[in-house]
Amino acid sequence: MKKGSDLLVEALENEGVDRVFGVPGEENLDVVESLRKSKIELVLTRHEQAAAFMAATHGRLTGRPGVCIATLGPGALNFSTGAAYAHLGAMPMILITGQKAIMTAKQARFQIVDVVASMRPLTKMTRQIVSPASIPSVVRDAFRVAMEERPGPVHLELPEDVAAEEVEDIPAIPVHPLDRPIAPAGAIDRAAQMILAAKRPLVMIGAAGNRPRLVEPLSAAVRRIGLPFFNTQMGKGAVTGGSNLYLGTAALSEGDYVHEAVAAADLIIAVGHDTIEKPPFLMRNAGGPKVVHLGFQSANVEQVYHPDAEVIGDIGVTMTGLAERLEGKLPEQKQTLELRQKILAKINARSEEDRFPVTPQRLVHDVRAVMPEDGIVCLDNGMYKIWFARNYRTHVANTLLLDNALATMGAGLPSAMMAAMLHPERRVMAVCGDGGFMMNSQEMETAVRLGLNLVVLVLNDGAYGMIRWKQAVDQFPDYGMTFGNPDFVAYAKAYGAKGSRVASAEALVPTLEAAFKGGGVHLVDCPIDYSENTRVLVEELRNKVPDVDLA
């Protein structure tokens, strides 16, 4: 006879799962044995948080849930940040945790916390499996819920006695296509009429517009409609190709150069904007542009986002419908496209300066130089994220992965490891601050053990740089933000990886090229100078004058 754990693993195989990430414990041993006998690879990580980040990134890049496993109590609670990362970032993921036996209590309350309750605000669904006979239906439902819009994490708790219980063979439930509702034709007609009536319409692509299945329909529709567009940070890279319609990324909420185009627009078509992101622009009750919200779900009305019209349904179908109604009917936005050249020139200024430590502009410029169009850059969270969002041009979808939702530190290395596993033929780079890198740096061993080809670029300023900068901008004394670092080159070598140190601005590109060509896991330690944060993002933007008057 089969055990409950066998039914669980068979249900995962039925869903197409090929890897499970995690740190098992005593309460998962039956599941581990069932995995050993299956076609699914158990990817052992050094911390549960990293396993959750990897599973979430699998969901982000493929549209199919990644799966991670942990034991009860402390192991399960270590999933919390990864669950929130996937929940706010709309990444489909399945978290499976163990628990003590529920039919007996031979160890009383040892290690037991209410994990189901703790996961409730962090997931789309959480439930304890109380019978092995229910496992096939519970797993099928979990994957369905995780993938439905808005996608996100689902948590399942499997007690050890349920996992070990023998049961008659119960077949897995067949996977069915997941069709999404389509917006009514009348709603698309009304949106098209609003766009035709506008003088300076502008397209904004948000997080929900950046789904793997939307790449082709969204890219084609943007080109057919022919309107200039910008994106939020998590909408960056949703459209393929180096379109001459691209205005830039709203890396700041207001005041940056791209906001000159936003301020000049009289209508913004917000494609998949999710207010979980830091606002890409601030709506005002009077004097600002009208906003048409295109989304899988109704807009969340916020103080800074309250659309004038909504078109709710599959975004790909909606955008195709708009393209059919608008193609060839909109005048070229010559003034906005003239402004585009000035915006791009401004944000790319001083990108080849040779001062050292390197400036953020030079850093982004040189990383772009060594990454092919399909190369994947995975950012941790720090000051450099704003610079990559502003300055890094993407030409292929999902080639710059950043988190503007939970915006947690520690996710950069695990997400890059997942990208390298999914795309071993591409160049993959993790870009981490020294603070964020050290939060999950132990996964260097995992990356080496898995034989990944991965470059880890660590930006070394000996501080929690973004908060230190904001502390200075707010005119607080410099306090509590600096720390010491290990010798990162020696640290990498201790894990069996390779290590290099950048000693001049001119050395950055050749050092990164050599790291990629050498193969394996290679850490590059690069000092960085963040004085440009204040010069550009505070002083320059505060004193700038619009280059083009579109009033």
Side-chain angles (χ1 to χ4, degrees):
M1 295 182 72
K2 293 185 176 181
K3 299 185 298 183
S5 59
D6 296 324
L7 295 182
L8 174 73
V9 172
E10 288 177 3
L12 295 178
E13 288 181 322
N14 181 61
E15 299 290 343
V17 174
D18 55 6
R19 298 183 180 101
V20 170
F21 308 91
V23 184
E26 179 183 348
E27 290 72 26
N28 306 116
L29 289 179
D30 286 287
V31 176
V32 171
E33 175 60 14
S34 296
L35 284 170
R36 185 186 68 82
K37 297 184 291 184
S38 76
K39 297 178 181 178
I40 298 175
E41 177 187 4
L42 174 62
V43 178
L44 187 69
T45 59
R46 304 305 299 267
H47 196 284
E48 293 88 353
Q49 187 184 96
F53 287 147
M54 293 180 75
T57 303
H58 181 283
R60 180 177 188 171
L61 287 173
T62 68
R64 295 178 289 104
V67 180
C68 51
I69 188 171
T71 189
L72 81 173
L77 293 175
N78 280 343
F79 270 167
S80 298
T81 303
Y85 175 76
H87 195 40
L88 271 66
M91 306 173 199
M93 175 171 71
I94 307 294
L95 307 105
I96 301 171
T97 61
Q99 188 53 276
K100 295 292 185 185
I102 56 175
M103 304 301 177
T104 61
K106 294 180 180 178
Q107 296 191 41
R109 302 295 298 170
F110 175 64
Q111 281 195 308
I112 294 178
V113 294
D114 191 343
V115 177
V116 171
S118 75
M119 285 289 178
R120 191 162 287 120
L122 304 177
T123 59
K124 294 183 70 177
M125 181 177 79
T126 176
R127 62 187 296 184
Q128 184 185 72
I129 300 174
V130 297
S131 166
S134 68
I135 288 175
S137 60
V138 169
V139 172
R140 176 80 281 270
D141 194 43
F143 275 78
R144 178 189 62 80
V145 171
M147 295 177 68
E148 282 182 337
E149 287 291 341
R150 184 178 182 265
V154 170
H155 167 246
L156 300 177
E157 180 178 83
L158 182 62
E160 60 181 334
D161 55 347
V162 177
E165 185 177 342
E166 292 188 340
V167 64
E168 295 291 338
D169 190 12
I170 302 172
I173 297 174
V175 177
H176 62 276
L178 189 62
D179 294 320
R180 293 164 181 84
I182 296 173
I188 301 176
D189 288 338
R190 285 192 294 274
Q193 289 304 313
M194 291 180 68
I195 296 167
L196 288 167
K199 293 181 179 179
R200 290 182 298 277
L202 191 61
V203 175
M204 181 186 80
I205 300 173
N210 200 356
R211 304 271 194 265
R213 66 178 179 278
L214 290 180
V215 172
E216 293 309 319
L218 185 57
S219 300
V222 166
R223 288 190 289 268
R224 289 176 65 190
I225 294 171
L227 288 176
F229 73 94
F230 70 107
N231 49 253
T232 70
Q233 290 189 43
M234 292 188 74
K236 190 175 182 71
V239 174
T240 56
S243 172
N244 60 5
L245 299 170
Y246 171 70
L247 294 171
T249 298
L252 306 173
S253 294
E254 59 181 347
D256 207 349
Y257 294 102
V258 73
H259 293 287
E260 293 182 26
V262 176
D266 59 350
L267 177 73
I268 294 177
I269 304 104
V271 181
H273 179 47
D274 190 334
T275 56
I276 211 73
E277 283 203 75
K278 190 173 181 179
F281 68 96
L282 306 177
M283 283 188 68
R284 294 170 174 81
N285 291 325
K290 290 186 178 297
V291 173
V292 177
H293 174 86
L294 311 184
F296 293 104
Q297 297 174 318
S298 297
N300 290 320
V301 174
E302 308 282 356
Q303 182 179 355
V304 297
Y305 188 75
H306 36 86
D308 300 278
E310 298 186 58
V311 184
I312 307 305
D314 186 283
I315 289 174
V317 177
T318 297
M319 286 296 289
T320 300
L322 275 179
E324 292 169 352
R325 290 162 172 79
L326 299 174
E327 188 172 13
K329 296 181 181 179
L330 294 169
E332 184 181 13
Q333 301 292 307
K334 291 183 179 180
Q335 290 177 305
T336 305
L337 293 175
E338 287 175 7
L339 178 58
R340 170 185 182 269
Q341 299 301 323
K342 293 183 170 63
I343 292 170
L344 297 181
K346 284 287 189 181
I347 65 172
N348 289 319
R350 302 173 75 165
S351 62
E352 298 184 59
E353 279 193 327
D354 59 3
R355 58 181 157 131
F356 189 79
V358 297
T359 63
Q361 299 98 310
R362 178 66 184 260
L363 171 78
V364 176
H365 173 275
D366 286 6
V367 169
R368 178 70 278 181
V370 301
M371 297 302 286
E373 287 196 347
D374 67 348
I376 301 174
V377 176
C378 300
L379 304 183
D380 205 276
N381 264 277
M383 195 64 227
Y384 50 90
K385 184 180 77 172
I386 291 177
W387 290 98
F388 271 88
R390 289 176 91 238
N391 294 33
Y392 191 85
R393 286 294 304 274
T394 57
H395 305 286
V396 175
N398 290 313
T399 52
L400 180 66
L401 303 187
L402 57 80
D403 171 23
N404 191 37
L406 184 65
T408 179
M409 299 170 71
L413 175 58
S415 64
M417 290 164 59
M418 186 71 257
M421 294 179 77
L422 289 170
H423 299 287
E425 76 287 358
R426 299 196 201 178
R427 284 189 173 185
V428 176
M429 179 188 297
V431 180
C432 308
D434 44 9
F437 171 71
M438 290 302 292
M439 290 185 179
N440 270 314
S441 64
Q442 72 281 346
E443 301 306 329
M444 290 283 287
E445 187 279 328
T446 308
V448 170
R449 174 167 30 91
L450 295 173
L452 301 182
N453 291 312
L454 175 66
V455 171
V456 182
L457 177 59
V458 177
L459 307 179
N460 191 341
D461 68 337
Y464 293 116
M466 175 178 277
I467 309 306
R468 191 184 191 194
W469 170 64
K470 291 192 174 183
Q471 186 180 57
V473 169
D474 290 341
Q475 299 183 335
F476 289 111
D478 185 2
Y479 176 74
M481 302 297 169
T482 59
F483 46 72
N485 280 320
D487 179 334
F488 283 122
V489 173
Y491 187 75
K493 292 179 178 178
Y495 282 120
K498 303 167 188 175
S500 301
R501 185 170 289 109
V502 177
S504 67
E506 295 80 3
L508 180 54
V509 166
T511 301
L512 292 174
E513 281 288 352
F516 276 116
K517 290 177 181 176
V521 180
H522 196 128
L523 183 149
V524 176
D525 177 0
C526 180
I528 189 163
D529 176 6
Y530 279 132
S531 62
E532 286 290 276
N533 295 348
T534 299
R535 186 190 71 80
V536 174
L537 302 180
V538 177
E539 296 168 359
E540 181 180 304
L541 295 183
R542 179 188 294 145
N543 299 322
K544 75 179 176 67
V545 177
D547 291 301
V548 178
D549 183 7
L550 299 181

